[in-house]
Amino acid sequence: MIAFEHVGKRYGGRFEALANIDFGVARGEMVFFTGHSGAGKSSLLRLIMRLEQPSRGRVMVAGHDIARLHASQVPFYRRQIGVVFQDHQLLFDRSVFHNVALPLEIQGVEPRESARRVRAALDKVGLLHREKALPIELSGGEQQRIGIARAVVNKPALLLADEPTGNLDPQLSADIMALFEDFNRIGTTLMIASHDLALIARLRHRTLRLRDGRLVADERAT
Amino acid sequence: MTQIPPSQRGARSHKTRLSSRLRAWARHHRVMLVDSAWRLVRHPLGNLLTMLAIAIALVLPAALWLTLDSARLLDAELEESATLTVYLAQEVDEMQANRIEQAVQAQPEVAATRLISAEEGMAEFQQALGLDDALVGLADNPLPASIVVHPASPEPAAMQRLSQVLSELNGVDDVRLDLAWIERLRHLAELGRRLALALAVLFGLGVLLVVGNTIRLAVESRRREIEVVMLIGATHAFVRRPFLYSGAWYGVGGGLLALGLLTLGNHWLSLPVSALAASYGASFSLPQLDLAGSTILLSCSTLLGWLGAWLAVGRHLSSIRSR
């Protein structure tokens, strides 16, 4: 599904965020990235989303070198990837329902079909009863779940998450991870960046460790 | 994920997608048309001021154009009254005069003629000057007979040619045509037209700047929203659309206000203008913008609003993308 081939990323010519990253993720896998902040977790996700281009090497997704996508194809590429952001990236001037509906609106899904899928996604994250609320009225954990609902509403084959439990207490974090495992069970490929080592250890999934922009360990689940 | 580059999709699914994509596209246009109007209505004062600025920028060239248009009507009227006067030699008697008139009339470039005998000329002269008795003392009538010629074409070059031909006829002493004022009027009209065009271009640029600046602020205030939708796969066209409609609405509003201002100005000026015209014995009223003119003004302002928004959003999209 995803293959990094000797990928390097420099910013401003000097700072090396990633160096010689080489790994693959199979379809249906659930993979964690760990590492201290600045180790390159976010850069890696940004490369997959094609928010950035590698300075060296190739990033292959579904057999295609995504650097070769034309700028006009990038939006259509991004639509096939669900992304959960650490800071949610919700729009505070519209309701929960309309936040979750945003990807479908962008894709031009017919409104009735869109409403059905939004409610299904909200139901999945257990917040169907808050659809009319504004994001500001929700707790941090609830906002994160809205972000997840938005990421999965168009049933992406690949789900990326950047520190999805960053600001949550252990119980809420565990709930969110359980949610991710549910998606993984129905075939979604997941790549989750997290520094919550204790939680990751408990979940027993493949874990890639980054340090100073280098891949230092690739631990398969046992 | 096998379908990642759009070109890799199967032909059939591509086809069904095309029609639904077209429907979705039309739906988004509809939604944005209404949404952008609502956004304007929600901040009536600021947006009204923007529209007023656009209207003022449009009124000046439009008013000048209208004035020129009416001047052109006047010009045509004057050209119609352009005539040549053929003065016959003193010794030409009445029968010869009639023959000369027939010869003149036979010219293909002559539309109509009128013979003024020496006596009639004298009478007209006296009447025009209000000197009923002063000339009675003259023993001989000093005026020659003359023929007033209405040319088929009021074109100065044609009249010049005609005057040449007529002056070579037997018994013709002199041919007078006063082209200078027609020429002057033409130059003046041309000057006005160019001035109006230059003003229209300048003020059109002004409209672009006004709309562009307003839209720039709107983009800035929705920057986060733009960043988020681009993260989750919005195309540039999708992001641009609401702002283009806002720009077009500004144009529509500004155009309508401009039409209102022109009507108001017309009412304000029509009384003194017709009084002035009446004092010259002419009937002249300020021209109204007709339906075609109004449509042109409104389309131009809408187009300018749209274009201003397009330029502003295009510039800002690239700055957002590069972050």
Side-chain angles (χ1 to χ4, degrees):
Chain A
M1 170 74 102
I2 295 172
F4 274 59
E5 298 176 357
H6 306 288
V7 171
K9 177 65 188 174
R10 274 171 189 278
Y11 291 102
R14 298 289 305 154
F15 177 66
E16 199 162 42
L18 292 172
N20 199 28
I21 301 286
D22 207 52
F23 70 91
V25 174
R27 188 179 301 274
E29 248 190 305
M30 180 162 173
V31 182
F32 283 104
F33 296 89
T34 65
H36 58 85
S37 63
K41 305 190 293 285
S42 295
S43 295
L44 208 138
L45 293 179
R46 291 173 68 83
L47 285 174
I48 299 174
M49 287 178 70
R50 207 183 181 275
L51 286 168
E52 272 156 21
Q53 304 258 37
S55 318
R56 210 175 301 145
R58 294 195 301 177
V59 179
M60 307 288 287
V61 179
H64 298 284
D65 180 357
I66 58 170
R68 299 173 105 168
L69 285 178
H70 189 265
S72 65
Q73 293 177 320
V74 170
F76 298 95
Y77 166 72
R78 283 197 194 135
R79 289 175 192 185
Q80 300 176 59
I81 303 173
V83 186
V84 179
F85 301 93
Q86 182 175 7
D87 51 357
H88 328 310
Q89 299 280 11
L90 299 177
L91 297 176
F92 287 96
D93 62 345
R94 51 180 91 191
S95 68
V96 162
F97 180 93
H98 282 108
N99 264 287
V100 176
L102 203 56
L104 302 176
E105 195 186 307
I106 288 168
Q107 286 177 41
V109 174
E110 195 255 325
R112 229 167 338 136
E113 168 69 6
S114 168
R116 193 184 64 72
R117 278 154 74 172
V118 169
R119 299 221 164 86
L122 281 173
D123 193 32
K124 182 73 202 150
V125 299
L127 285 171
L128 187 52
H129 61 292
R130 303 304 307 267
E131 64 169 283
K132 291 198 175 67
L134 289 173
I136 202 81
E137 301 161 12
L138 305 179
S139 69
E142 286 175 324
Q143 287 184 4
Q144 190 57 284
R145 273 144 72 198
I146 298 304
I148 294 171
R150 189 184 65 189
V152 300
V153 72
N154 60 348
K155 303 195 190 81
L158 175 63
L159 191 62
L160 306 178
D162 191 3
E163 301 283 1
T165 60
N167 309 311
L168 304 180
D169 64 51
Q171 182 54 48
L172 282 172
S173 301
D175 288 351
I176 298 244
M177 288 303 174
L179 209 51
F180 283 143
E181 288 188 310
D182 283 350
F183 293 126
N184 183 233
R185 229 166 273 134
I186 56 169
T188 309
T189 308
L190 281 106
M191 293 179 72
I192 301 164
S194 174
H195 59 253
D196 193 343
L197 296 175
L199 184 63
I200 291 168
R202 239 183 301 130
L203 290 169
R204 304 167 69 84
H205 289 286
R206 183 180 169 198
T207 304
L208 299 168
R209 282 183 210 289
L210 291 165
R211 186 183 301 146
D212 298 328
R214 281 161 207 284
L215 194 59
V216 292
D218 184 349
E219 295 156 6
R220 298 268 165 183
T222 45
Chain B
M1 290 298 282
T2 47
Q3 47 167 289
I4 276 180
S7 57
Q8 297 289 311
R9 286 180 192 142
R12 194 197 298 164
S13 76
H14 190 73
K15 212 180 225 171
T16 56
R17 261 161 200 236
L18 193 67
S19 73
S20 75
R21 280 232 300 262
L22 220 65
R23 267 205 309 280
W25 179 81
R27 185 168 54 238
H28 190 242
H29 270 278
R30 223 166 35 238
V31 170
M32 285 303 112
L33 180 74
V34 177
D35 181 73
S36 56
W38 263 115
R39 278 175 195 273
L40 295 192
V41 172
R42 261 183 304 190
H43 302 283
L45 191 65
N47 290 319
L48 207 65
L49 286 177
T50 302
M51 289 178 189
L52 203 60
I54 295 168
I56 290 168
L58 291 170
V59 158
L60 210 65
L64 191 61
W65 186 75
L66 271 179
T67 314
L68 283 173
D69 209 38
S70 60
R72 201 155 49 227
L73 282 178
L74 213 61
D75 189 28
E77 220 168 81
L78 286 171
E79 278 186 352
E80 220 155 77
S81 68
T83 53
L84 297 100
T85 308
V86 178
Y87 293 99
L88 303 182
Q90 281 285 359
E91 65 275 11
V92 168
D93 66 23
E94 208 175 312
M95 261 180 42
Q96 283 172 311
N98 277 327
R99 261 205 306 283
I100 295 171
E101 189 193 3
Q102 277 161 18
V104 169
Q105 206 146 35
Q107 296 290 329
E109 290 180 7
V110 170
T113 57
R114 184 164 70 88
L115 180 64
I116 298 170
S117 66
E119 293 72 37
E120 284 166 343
M122 190 64 176
E124 267 183 32
F125 186 57
Q126 284 179 345
Q127 202 189 348
L129 291 180
L131 305 168
D132 283 341
D133 305 320
L135 294 171
V136 175
L138 290 171
D140 284 331
N141 182 352
L143 296 177
S146 60
I147 305 169
V148 176
V149 178
H150 293 267
S153 156
E155 280 299 307
M159 286 178 72
Q160 202 87 58
R161 266 199 314 278
L162 184 59
S163 117
Q164 190 65 40
V165 170
L166 295 180
S167 66
E168 282 161 12
L169 290 174
N170 261 337
V172 170
D173 185 40
D174 193 12
V175 179
R176 285 282 171 85
L177 78 165
D178 199 1
L179 280 177
W181 62 269
I182 294 182
E183 285 289 277
R184 254 180 236 133
L185 203 67
R186 276 170 183 257
H187 291 317
L188 218 60
E190 180 58 24
L191 180 69
R193 262 192 286 279
R194 288 188 181 202
L195 204 63
L197 198 68
L199 276 180
V201 169
L202 276 179
F203 283 92
L205 278 177
V207 172
L208 283 186
L209 289 178
V210 168
V211 174
N213 197 46
T214 310
I215 294 295
R216 186 179 63 81
L217 293 175
V219 169
E220 209 51 59
S221 75
R222 291 174 73 182
R223 192 186 193 101
R224 232 185 72 77
E225 182 184 342
I226 294 172
E227 283 170 350
V228 171
V229 297
M230 282 176 84
L231 274 179
I232 56 181
T235 57
H236 284 179
F238 182 93
V239 172
R240 210 182 275 135
R241 208 161 288 147
F243 298 108
L244 295 187
Y245 274 113
S246 297
W249 280 124
Y250 281 127
V252 168
L256 287 175
L257 278 174
L259 287 178
L261 285 176
L262 282 173
T263 312
L264 215 66
N266 192 295
H267 280 300
W268 176 244
L269 296 177
S270 66
L271 205 68
V273 164
S274 48
L276 193 66
S279 78
Y280 279 101
S283 77
F284 174 74
S285 60
L286 280 176
Q288 298 266 16
L289 208 55
D290 57 2
L291 190 67
S294 308
T295 312
I296 290 172
L297 181 68
L298 214 55
S299 330
C300 281
S301 68
T302 308
L303 203 70
L304 281 174
W306 182 88
L307 192 65
W310 195 82
L311 292 173
V313 181
R315 241 177 51 84
H316 278 72
L317 271 187
S318 51
S319 87
I320 287 173
R321 192 179 36 204
S322 64
R323 276 170 28 129

